[in-house]
Amino acid sequence: MSAEKPAQTSGEGQAAEAVESGDSTTAQAAQGAHTGQRWWRVMCLTGLDYFSTLGYQPGIAALAAGVLSPIATIVLVVVTLLGALPVYHRVAQESPRGEGSIAMLERLLSFWKGKLFVLALLGFAATDFLITITLSAADASAHLVENPHLNSLLGNKQVLITMVLVALLGAVFLKGFGEAIGLAVFLVGAYLVLNVVVVAVGLWEIAKAPHVVTDWTDALTAQHGNPIVMVGVALVTFPKLALGLSGFETGVAVMPHIKGDATDTEANPAGRIRGTRKLLTTAAVIMSVFLIATSFITTLLIPADQFKPGGEANGRALAFLAHEYLGGTFGSVYDLSTIAILWFAGASAMAGMLNLLPRYLPRYGMAPHWARAVRPMVIVLTLIGFLVTWIFDADVDAQGGAYATGVLVLISSAAIAVTIAAHKRGQRGWTYGFGAIAAIFLYTTVLNVMERPDGLKIGACFIAGIILLSLLSRLRRAFELRVTNVVLDDVAERFIRDYAHRPLRLIANEPSNRDVAEYRDKIRQIRADNDIPGEDDLVFVEVTVRDASDFEAELTVRGEVLHGRYRVLTLESSSIPNAIAALALTVRDRTGQQPHLYFEWTEGNPFAQFMRFFLLGQGEVAPVTREVLREAEPDRSRRPRVHVG
């Protein structure tokens, strides 16, 4: 059969493809995605990205807000719990297969504008996820290099160390996804326990020296006056703290790995949605508590000049406290844990991309088929990570703007998507609430881009790269047979069954009035041009193009008898030549007879006609149909016959 078998559920289909291709790692990963993991285990995977920001977030807050850091952090927590969390609860409900807000917005737009819009969002997603990998690895190498015991040995080797860490991350995913989750649970558990110790010791030190609280409140009053001014300044500095929101998009992207209820179906995976909401809520609450506590103890216990570039607390405020109050041994253990979780923080981003990119690019015809497999994608993403590390010289600060831009654009798009979804369902209260949240995130995004335009430039480079490579891939795959499955209705089945012992002759017809004269004149012309005997039956094939930007789709064939005498097969597809080729191959496989296809030449410039086919699914149909058949069936003796008059 030339038409492919019906699509399976996502996990079953990926596993089957992996087994057929001999890729055992892909099969393992796909099967793991289908059976799923407990939500708290998957939380540890996405928490690698989210919780690891504790390694640098308190220092960023101190540099951005100074003594106002705890209040600015409280603003961040309020936005997290009352803004981002409700938004992503809704995103999880609307896209339970991990497509995220991109899929929600994709439904609003069709044709090429929808595809290009999705590619732009995928560019920002790639910016977010890839920079997560390289920035976290770079920060891990910075902690390694700046450790007092290793500085003399590893100094000036940060780029090399970062590349080694990126390579090790790729190696874990080449080994298998189950290993990635198991390692994530261990790293996150150890890191959170160590942070509890550091926070507890920090609060104890403050309790022993209450004057530091008085000094801090005096400094607040002296610098900012009354509480209203303090909140206003905190709102202004909030965009600089946006990295603390980094875990939500990955939390939704890894949804397919969450184990649902036994009663879950692909149409209604209620258990998976509930597990994802538990994941998002638990992670947000844990992170909120840590953010407030760590910003408080670091602001009160660390001198302000130590947060600045060159200071011992720059980018490693909690590590500074661990060494200062718990000694070199505990401090080194804390450093090791921080390095490990920062290194592996890229795992949640890697898992997100392995779930997100194969969902869109191959389906759009904008990536080769191997992009659906785990191993090749891991290798490609690892090589891109090497390139980004080399371009940015493993500099954490240089990548921060791009990271924040990617995070904020995705959160803003999610807020807009859920606002539109609520509006379409007539939920006025949710529409206003989500609209206000969207306005806050758009404000934050604009301020971040204005202050650090390099993030937008880097995101634009990713977008341009994805669009260029996608269009080139689509051009290279233009003559592939794009039909995933052919479904015949009862009338069409009967038409084809009648030709089990004689060739079926199909006339490609562009429908106009569909009156008697149209079909009578067409038959007369085709018989004259091709010298077809009068006793041979002819069946019309009419294809309607709905959305030419789609690449792969199921083909439904309907049969009808018009005017009591003309048999017509009607099809809807994104491409006329692909639809006719798929139908011809299906007829051959069902009847064992080679069908004959009859076309007319189309007037016009050949290049212009090809572009019409590439962009609009039409153009010069006859030669393109023949080329699709040639690629789909290498054996010339079994290929349906194409006649042009």
Side-chain angles (χ1 to χ4, degrees), residues 178-195:
E179 285 78 1
I181 286 196
L183 186 55
V185 172
F186 172 76
L187 292 177
V188 168
Y191 185 67
L192 292 181
V193 168
L194 291 172
N195 274 288

Side-chain angles (χ1 to χ4, degrees), residues 356-436:
L356 196 62
L357 295 180
R359 284 185 178 275
Y360 292 99
L361 297 184
R363 179 163 59 88
Y364 290 177
M366 294 178 171
H369 286 298
W370 57 257
R372 287 188 171 100
V374 172
R375 278 178 175 164
M377 281 297 292
V378 169
I379 293 171
V380 170
L381 295 174
T382 301
L383 292 175
I384 296 174
F386 289 162
L387 178 63
V388 172
T389 298
W390 176 70
I391 291 174
F392 287 101
D393 199 31
D395 189 328
V396 176
D397 294 332
Q399 298 175 72
Y403 186 38
T405 300
V407 169
L408 289 171
V409 167
L410 291 178
I411 292 181
S412 298
S413 69
I416 293 170
V418 298
T419 301
I420 296 172
H423 174 70
K424 284 192 168 185
R425 286 172 172 76
Q427 300 168 333
R428 182 174 298 180
W430 282 113
T431 301
Y432 292 147
F434 286 137

Side-chain angles (χ1 to χ4, degrees), residues 108 124 409 421 636:
L108 303 175
F124 282 112
V409 167
R636 186 174 182 178

